[in-house]
mmCIF file of all heavy atoms in Angstrom:
data_model
loop_
_atom_site.group_PDB
_atom_site.id
_atom_site.type_symbol
_atom_site.label_atom_id
_atom_site.label_comp_id
_atom_site.label_asym_id
_atom_site.label_seq_id
_atom_site.Cartn_x
_atom_site.Cartn_y
_atom_site.Cartn_z
ATOM 1 N N ALA T 379 0.665 -18.560 3.320
ATOM 2 C CA ALA T 379 -0.512 -19.423 3.255
ATOM 3 C C ALA T 379 -1.659 -18.563 2.753
ATOM 4 O O ALA T 379 -1.697 -17.364 3.003
ATOM 5 C CB ALA T 379 -0.829 -19.971 4.640
ATOM 6 N N ALA T 380 -2.603 -19.192 2.050
ATOM 7 C CA ALA T 380 -3.750 -18.422 1.556
ATOM 8 C C ALA T 380 -4.957 -19.309 1.399
ATOM 9 O O ALA T 380 -4.838 -20.533 1.274
ATOM 10 C CB ALA T 380 -3.399 -17.770 0.203
ATOM 11 N N GLY T 381 -6.124 -18.668 1.408
ATOM 12 C CA GLY T 381 -7.373 -19.368 1.139
ATOM 13 C C GLY T 381 -7.732 -19.154 -0.320
ATOM 14 O O GLY T 381 -7.561 -18.058 -0.854
ATOM 15 N N CYS T 453 -6.080 -9.340 3.384
ATOM 16 C CA CYS T 453 -7.041 -8.995 4.430
ATOM 17 C C CYS T 453 -6.269 -8.742 5.707
ATOM 18 O O CYS T 453 -5.289 -9.430 5.982
ATOM 19 C CB CYS T 453 -8.005 -10.165 4.683
ATOM 20 S SG CYS T 453 -9.076 -10.427 3.296
ATOM 21 N N PHE T 458 -10.984 -14.596 10.064
ATOM 22 C CA PHE T 458 -11.122 -14.971 8.660
ATOM 23 C C PHE T 458 -12.269 -14.136 8.059
ATOM 24 O O PHE T 458 -13.004 -13.437 8.781
ATOM 25 C CB PHE T 458 -11.436 -16.473 8.550
ATOM 26 C CG PHE T 458 -10.241 -17.353 8.848
ATOM 27 C CD1 PHE T 458 -10.154 -18.039 10.047
ATOM 28 C CD2 PHE T 458 -9.212 -17.481 7.936
ATOM 29 C CE1 PHE T 458 -9.045 -18.854 10.310
ATOM 30 C CE2 PHE T 458 -8.103 -18.278 8.189
ATOM 31 C CZ PHE T 458 -8.032 -18.969 9.402
ATOM 32 N N GLU T 459 -12.444 -14.232 6.765
ATOM 33 C CA GLU T 459 -13.432 -13.423 6.074
ATOM 34 C C GLU T 459 -14.839 -14.023 6.243
ATOM 35 O O GLU T 459 -14.979 -15.190 6.606
ATOM 36 C CB GLU T 459 -13.080 -13.355 4.557
ATOM 37 C CG GLU T 459 -11.718 -12.827 4.291
ATOM 38 C CD GLU T 459 -10.572 -13.758 4.690
ATOM 39 O OE1 GLU T 459 -10.718 -14.983 4.534
ATOM 40 O OE2 GLU T 459 -9.553 -13.264 5.200
ATOM 41 N N VAL T 475 -6.976 -15.272 -0.841
ATOM 42 C CA VAL T 475 -6.925 -14.276 0.224
ATOM 43 C C VAL T 475 -5.920 -14.710 1.313
ATOM 44 O O VAL T 475 -5.784 -15.896 1.581
ATOM 45 C CB VAL T 475 -8.287 -14.044 0.928
ATOM 46 C CG1 VAL T 475 -9.213 -13.243 0.049
ATOM 47 C CG2 VAL T 475 -8.936 -15.344 1.349
ATOM 48 N N GLY T 476 -5.285 -13.712 1.925
ATOM 49 C CA GLY T 476 -4.351 -14.013 3.004
ATOM 50 C C GLY T 476 -4.096 -12.773 3.833
ATOM 51 O O GLY T 476 -4.556 -11.684 3.500
ATOM 52 N N MET T 477 -3.349 -12.987 4.927
ATOM 53 C CA MET T 477 -3.155 -11.892 5.899
ATOM 54 C C MET T 477 -1.721 -11.373 5.935
ATOM 55 O O MET T 477 -1.287 -10.798 6.938
ATOM 56 C CB MET T 477 -3.563 -12.404 7.311
ATOM 57 C CG MET T 477 -4.987 -12.921 7.389
ATOM 58 S SD MET T 477 -5.360 -13.532 9.052
ATOM 59 C CE MET T 477 -6.847 -14.487 8.731
ATOM 60 N N THR T 500 -4.088 -23.345 1.627
ATOM 61 C CA THR T 500 -4.299 -24.195 2.804
ATOM 62 C C THR T 500 -5.792 -24.531 3.013
ATOM 63 O O THR T 500 -6.088 -25.409 3.821
ATOM 64 C CB THR T 500 -3.748 -23.514 4.080
ATOM 65 O OG1 THR T 500 -4.356 -22.236 4.215
ATOM 66 C CG2 THR T 500 -2.233 -23.352 4.000
ATOM 67 N N ASN T 501 -6.669 -23.820 2.313
ATOM 68 C CA ASN T 501 -8.116 -24.049 2.487
ATOM 69 C C ASN T 501 -8.847 -23.358 1.362
ATOM 70 O O ASN T 501 -8.305 -22.478 0.700
ATOM 71 C CB ASN T 501 -8.572 -23.472 3.850
ATOM 72 C CG ASN T 501 -8.228 -21.993 3.997
ATOM 73 O OD1 ASN T 501 -7.104 -21.662 4.350
ATOM 74 N ND2 ASN T 501 -9.184 -21.134 3.678
ATOM 75 N N LEU T 502 -10.106 -23.753 1.192
ATOM 76 C CA LEU T 502 -10.988 -22.944 0.350
ATOM 77 C C LEU T 502 -11.495 -21.815 1.224
ATOM 78 O O LEU T 502 -11.695 -22.015 2.433
ATOM 79 C CB LEU T 502 -12.130 -23.785 -0.209
ATOM 80 C CG LEU T 502 -11.734 -24.873 -1.222
ATOM 81 C CD1 LEU T 502 -12.940 -25.696 -1.607
ATOM 82 C CD2 LEU T 502 -11.065 -24.272 -2.455
ATOM 83 N N ALA T 503 -11.718 -20.666 0.647
ATOM 84 C CA ALA T 503 -12.094 -19.471 1.439
ATOM 85 C C ALA T 503 -13.490 -19.638 2.045
ATOM 86 O O ALA T 503 -14.257 -20.543 1.657
ATOM 87 C CB ALA T 503 -12.026 -18.234 0.545
ATOM 88 N N ALA T 504 -13.807 -18.747 2.981
ATOM 89 C CA ALA T 504 -15.058 -18.828 3.738
ATOM 90 C C ALA T 504 -16.274 -18.946 2.801
ATOM 91 O O ALA T 504 -16.346 -18.238 1.794
ATOM 92 C CB ALA T 504 -15.213 -17.587 4.609
ATOM 93 N N LEU T 510 -13.170 -22.758 9.245
ATOM 94 C CA LEU T 510 -11.770 -22.410 8.982
ATOM 95 C C LEU T 510 -11.045 -22.337 10.310
ATOM 96 O O LEU T 510 -11.614 -21.923 11.309
ATOM 97 C CB LEU T 510 -11.668 -21.032 8.300
ATOM 98 C CG LEU T 510 -12.340 -20.892 6.931
ATOM 99 C CD1 LEU T 510 -12.289 -19.433 6.480
ATOM 100 C CD2 LEU T 510 -11.673 -21.782 5.907
ATOM 101 N N THR T 515 -4.563 -24.256 8.685
ATOM 102 C CA THR T 515 -3.541 -23.532 7.873
ATOM 103 C C THR T 515 -2.174 -24.127 8.121
ATOM 104 O O THR T 515 -1.430 -24.402 7.174
ATOM 105 C CB THR T 515 -3.537 -22.029 8.270
ATOM 106 O OG1 THR T 515 -4.838 -21.495 8.023
ATOM 107 C CG2 THR T 515 -2.505 -21.263 7.492
HETATM 108 N N1 HPA N 309 -8.173 -16.208 4.730
HETATM 109 C C1 HPA N 309 -7.188 -15.372 5.121
HETATM 110 N N2 HPA N 309 -5.939 -15.801 5.360
HETATM 111 C C2 HPA N 309 -5.675 -17.095 5.172
HETATM 112 C C3 HPA N 309 -6.660 -18.006 4.771
HETATM 113 C C4 HPA N 309 -7.988 -17.539 4.535
HETATM 114 O O1 HPA N 309 -8.900 -18.281 4.157
HETATM 115 N N3 HPA N 309 -6.047 -19.225 4.692
HETATM 116 C C5 HPA N 309 -4.750 -19.040 5.024
HETATM 117 N N4 HPA N 309 -4.511 -17.753 5.326
#
Side-chain angles (χ1 to χ4, degrees):
C453 292
F458 287 105
E459 303 70 37
V475 284
M477 303 178 196
T500 55
N501 56 278
L502 293 176
L510 299 174
T515 300

